[in-house]
Amino acid sequence: MQCEMVPKTLEVYRKTVELNPENVEARYQLALGYHQARQVKEAIAEMQRVVILDPKYLAAHCQLSLWYYGRCMFHAAIEATKKVLVLDPTNPWANYRIARSYFHLGKLDLAIQSFGRVLDADPTHIIVHYDLGLIYERKQMWHDAIREFSQVVSENPEDASSHFHLGLAYKRLGIRDLAIGAFMTALNLNGEDNASLEQLHALQE
């Protein structure tokens, strides 16, 4: 029934827009309809028209930000998300999305800044601490990586991946006992964790 409703809904909003091309709400709903019908390019094009007609339409900027990110159009996602943040500076999802976009583009310092703004609003945001841990690991800032992954396991002790990354950081710092303990914990939580098993064998040789 839902699939049958989409073409009918699209047709209604198309006709509304034809009659009144400056009907912002009709264009917004048409864009959502296109997206629901998996016509993503059409959805983006229509939503772009919405923000041209009404640059302060927060929901439209949010949708564009999300759709660009979903298509790995990270530069466009950043620009759309900046417009969200102009209208709603403390929007946690916008700060998270722009941080992830910077991360994917390899702009790690900008990603750290944006993730920091998410944590200002919610210091216990586990996913952000994990993402920051990965960034610090990539930058070989091992003490910072340990701090972030430790925060994750303090909130979720069964996160095998964070224990593994803790093991890598301890290994890089030459703290063998803590590295072995972290890899063993990761392996106990995930018996198929071959990466932790390989690290343990290397440390115990």
Side-chain angles (χ1 to χ4, degrees), residues 52-72:
I52 289 171
L53 289 168
D54 184 357
K56 294 185 178 181
Y57 201 137
L58 177 61
H61 288 298
C62 287
Q63 290 295 338
L64 278 174
S65 162
L66 180 62
W67 294 347
Y68 288 140
Y69 184 84
R71 291 175 68 84
C72 299

Side-chain angles (χ1 to χ4, degrees), residues 13 16-17 22-32 50 57:
Y13 285 117
T16 304
V17 168
E22 295 189 2
N23 186 325
V24 174
E25 188 58 33
R27 285 194 178 278
Y28 178 79
Q29 294 300 329
L30 179 58
L32 294 180
V50 172
Y57 201 137

Side-chain angles (χ1 to χ4, degrees), residues 92-161:
W93 287 109
N95 278 309
Y96 180 73
R97 192 169 300 124
I98 203 168
R100 289 289 301 171
S101 297
Y102 283 134
F103 177 75
H104 285 298
L105 292 172
K107 298 181 178 182
L108 302 185
D109 290 334
L110 290 172
I112 289 170
Q113 291 174 20
S114 294
F115 279 133
R117 284 190 281 272
V118 180
L119 291 178
D120 287 341
D122 180 7
T124 63
H125 200 304
I126 295 178
I127 296 174
V128 171
H129 285 294
Y130 182 83
D131 287 336
L132 279 170
L134 293 179
I135 291 174
Y136 289 129
E137 182 180 281
R138 188 177 295 185
K139 289 171 69 69
Q140 299 185 11
M141 298 169 65
W142 304 115
H143 291 286
D144 294 295
I146 287 168
R147 182 190 68 238
E148 299 301 332
F149 289 122
S150 295
Q151 181 68 30
V152 177
V153 299
S154 72
E155 299 287 336
N156 182 11
E158 297 186 358
D159 188 332
S161 180

